[in-house]
Amino acid sequence: MSKNPVLDNLLEPDRLEQAYRHSPDKFAAHLKAAIAQHGDSETLQVWQARLSYYPPPPAPGIAIGWLVALCLIAGCLTKIPAFFAIEPGWYYPRFIPLIVIGSVIAYFSKTTSGQRPKQVVWGAIAASMAYIAILPDSSGSASITMALIHLPLFCLALLAASFMGDDWKSVESRLNFIRYIGELSIYCVLILLGGMVLTGITLSLFSVIGLSIESWYMEYVVVFGLVSSPLVATYVFDAMQMRQSRFAPILSNVFAPLFLITVLAYLVATVYQGNNPFTDRDFLIVFNGLLVVILGLTMFSIAGKSRTIKVQISDYINIALVGVTLIVNMVALAAILFRWAEYGMTVNRVVVSGANILIFVHLILLIKQYIEHILQAGEIKNLEATIAGYLPVYTVWSLVVAVLLPLLFQFK
């Protein structure tokens, strides 16, 4: 036995990995000494290549230049009502979501392969812009309001296509997009928090010397920063993190048990307080919002699960979350059907009913695959396919609500 743990465990790959994870710095020093004695060892050569490898940096001139140009274009498009005689109340709800999503699509058009998907995506974006421009005024129209809410969801599907490129049919590519959305949300929050601190410091510094720049700063710097934050977050994920999920899986696994406890406590408190989603419309809205949040948290957690690990405690928490979500979904669906029978059909009830039915079917499929995964301790591929394969269903539904529903209800 030598004093070098790398040499002592040269034929024990598990122990080598354990030693590396225990102290990477000490392991690197021991590895250097081991290579000096046994430089012809393939095991040592593999470890040396692993520890000395650094991914090539992105082309900073092109990438950052393209990023800055897109940020400026998105900011200028956002300020169009200030440059021209356009009503902000009409322009912003229609075009801001499409401007933000379209700018990120433009970013991926430079970094993702696949010419045909790009042509389809840009054709659909142009059609969406034209369609939303000719929609009548949304004042008092529930169908147009729903169209304005769901068209950005359809554009998210176009963003997914631009992100995946030629691999848009791949389950792994769709899961990567889910992971990207999780990472994007986290990075955007961090960027915006940093922007808030910078804004406070900047305004304070200028106020000390007697210059009041609040109005100009808020109208231009803050607006440009808000619409640019998804682009900057995308650049961090794509070019700097090499599309590797760092935070979303960790946070989803940390918050999943906390959220499960919170939701169970909320449901118990709801019963105790006598709240009734069948008659209380606001409470029903909260129930549906809760449903979407839990479903999203569960999908992020499953998408971030390692394939090399079989069943673990997080799986039981996830299946409990799916079960709770299913209960919430059934209560919400029953309340909506009750309101159909009691008050008749409206645009909002059609949309919420359709969304709840789609989520109900998805949850049934998820819980079925999750039970099989836990009982059989098998691979997670079927569960991943259930998540990825159902995403186009939500895309089709968002397009139906955005395009067909206003026509069916005559824009009322």
Side-chain angles (χ1 to χ4, degrees):
M1 294 287 290
S2 69
K3 294 183 179 180
N4 191 328
V6 174
L7 290 176
D8 294 341
N9 300 291
L10 198 58
L11 301 178
E12 301 289 341
D14 290 342
R15 291 190 177 182
L16 287 176
E17 183 67 29
Q18 185 179 9
Y20 169 70
R21 290 177 180 269
H22 178 69
S23 179
D25 293 336
K26 288 183 179 180
F27 183 90
H30 290 309
L31 177 65
K32 184 178 180 180
I35 290 176
Q37 298 181 38
H38 300 279
D40 58 342
S41 170
E42 291 187 4
T43 301
L44 297 179
Q45 291 173 9
V46 169
W47 272 101
Q48 184 183 36
R50 174 182 173 183
L51 299 187
S52 61
Y53 174 78
Y54 291 96
I62 298 174
I64 294 180
W66 180 237
L67 177 70
V68 171
L70 288 176
C71 291
L72 292 175
I73 292 171
C76 290
L77 291 175
T78 303
K79 296 298 295 180
I80 281 181
F83 302 148
F84 305 97
I86 298 177
E87 175 61 36
W90 176 88
Y91 180 83
Y92 289 137
R94 293 166 183 260
F95 291 100
I96 292 300
L98 271 66
I99 289 171
V100 173
I101 296 173
S103 63
V104 181
I105 289 175
Y107 173 89
F108 283 123
S109 69
K110 279 283 189 179
T111 60
T112 306
S113 62
Q115 190 63 31
R116 183 167 180 78
K118 293 177 184 177
Q119 295 173 350
V120 174
V121 166
W122 282 114
I125 284 289
S128 299
M129 287 283 192
Y131 171 73
I132 210 165
I134 64 175
L135 275 178
D137 189 5
S138 60
S139 302
S141 173
S143 64
I144 294 179
T145 300
M146 286 296 169
L148 296 180
I149 293 173
H150 284 77
L151 194 61
L153 299 180
F154 170 71
C155 291
L156 280 179
L158 300 179
L159 173 60
S162 67
F163 175 88
M164 295 181 287
D166 289 331
D167 295 330
W168 64 275
K169 293 183 180 179
S170 167
V171 170
E172 183 62 27
S173 292
R174 295 182 182 184
L175 292 175
N176 284 337
F177 178 72
I178 294 176
R179 298 180 189 116
Y180 157 68
I181 292 297
E183 296 290 315
L184 178 71
S185 303
I186 295 170
Y187 293 151
C188 280
V189 170
L190 294 177
I191 290 170
L192 292 176
L193 287 175
M196 291 172 61
V197 174
L198 178 62
T199 297
I201 293 174
T202 302
L203 296 181
S204 299
L205 289 174
F206 276 89
S207 65
V208 169
I209 60 176
L211 288 178
S212 178
I213 63 168
E214 287 87 351
S215 178
W216 174 86
Y217 194 92
M218 291 295 179
E219 288 184 9
Y220 290 93
V221 177
V222 171
V223 169
F224 275 63
L226 287 174
V227 297
S228 299
S229 58
L231 274 167
V232 177
T234 297
Y235 176 77
V236 172
F237 175 79
D238 182 63
M240 300 178 67
Q241 298 293 344
M242 309 303 289
R243 296 196 179 189
Q244 297 296 314
S245 297
R246 307 289 183 184
F247 301 108
I250 298 174
L251 290 179
S252 61
N253 288 329
V254 169
F255 282 98
L258 299 176
F259 211 86
L260 176 62
I261 295 172
T262 302
V263 172
L264 289 174
Y266 177 73
L267 293 177
V268 172
T270 296
V271 175
Y272 179 78
Q273 289 291 106
N275 295 97
N276 188 354
F278 290 83
T279 56
D280 191 337
R281 183 174 178 271
D282 293 335
F283 185 63
L284 179 58
I285 293 174
V286 172
F287 242 60
N288 280 281
L290 187 64
L291 172 66
V292 174
V293 171
I294 302 175
L295 178 62
L297 184 64
T298 306
M299 291 174 64
F300 285 132
S301 182
I302 295 173
K305 178 178 169 60
S306 174
R307 289 182 175 177
T308 60
I309 300 176
K310 298 294 184 178
V311 179
Q312 54 186 159
I313 187 65
S314 62
D315 291 309
Y316 295 99
I317 295 173
N318 284 338
I319 197 172
L321 265 177
V322 174
V324 171
T325 310
L326 193 58
I327 294 173
V328 172
N329 179 240
M330 288 188 292
V331 172
L333 194 55
I336 294 167
L337 295 177
F338 169 79
R339 296 180 71 84
W340 268 71
E342 190 72 17
Y343 305 110
M345 181 178 68
T346 64
V347 175
N348 292 341
R349 291 186 193 119
V350 171
V351 174
V352 176
S353 300
N356 273 266
I357 291 171
L358 293 181
I359 293 175
F360 178 78
V361 174
H362 197 187
L363 290 172
I364 292 294
L365 296 174
L366 276 177
I367 205 166
K368 174 179 176 294
Q369 291 295 340
Y370 227 136
I371 291 174
E372 291 180 2
H373 171 65
I374 291 178
L375 293 180
Q376 300 174 7
E379 295 183 349
I380 201 172
K381 291 182 179 179
N382 292 335
L383 189 57
E384 292 176 340
T386 301
I387 292 177
Y390 206 80
L391 294 180
V393 177
Y394 293 118
T395 301
V396 172
W397 174 248
S398 64
L399 191 60
V400 167
V401 174
V403 178
L404 292 183
L405 212 63
L407 296 175
L408 292 175
F409 282 88
Q410 299 179 344
F411 304 103
K412 296 179 180 178

